[in-house]
Amino acid sequence: MSQAGGHVKQAASDAGSALRGAASAAGEELRVGKANVKADLADGALAGLAAAENAGGAAREQMDALMDKGRDLVDSAAELIRERPLASFGVAFAAGWILAKLGRSGDK
């Protein structure tokens, strides 16, 4: 009986040691996993910032291209007005008259 009690006591001691070892290993794995998650999140944040910078650069390029096209249109319109001032006046007058008619028809 005392020998069985000794074996039970030794088994309990061994189980406690195993549990402490497992808890220590689990804690270490948790710390490593936490560090990996932090590193992955940091990498994701850096990739997001880089993508935002690239998107901003692309938006600036598109805006510049649109501004250039707008300037080209204004320049060509100004050149057309200089070449044909009477035709330009007639077109402007007709457009104004049509807009006025459309505006008045909405009042009724």
Side-chain angles (χ1 to χ4, degrees):
M1 187 81 150
S2 95
Q3 200 175 25
H7 287 299
V8 169
K9 188 176 180 182
Q10 183 61 40
S13 175
D14 290 343
S17 293
L19 282 174
R20 281 191 294 280
S24 174
E28 182 61 29
E29 284 297 319
L30 245 157
R31 282 188 285 282
V32 168
K34 185 178 175 183
N36 287 342
V37 166
K38 283 184 179 179
D40 289 344
L41 287 174
D43 290 344
L46 289 175
L49 288 173
E53 287 177 6
N54 289 340
R60 273 191 294 280
E61 287 176 13
Q62 288 181 349
M63 186 62 167
D64 289 343
L66 286 174
M67 292 296 289
D68 288 342
K69 285 182 182 179
R71 283 188 207 106
D72 290 344
L73 285 173
V74 168
D75 290 345
S76 65
E79 184 178 330
L80 182 64
I81 290 170
R82 272 188 235 107
E83 288 175 1
R84 300 179 184 184
L86 288 177
S88 300
F89 176 76
V91 169
F93 182 79
W97 184 79
I98 291 171
L99 286 175
K101 284 292 187 181
L102 290 174
R104 282 192 220 126
S105 68
D107 292 340
K108 293 181 183 177

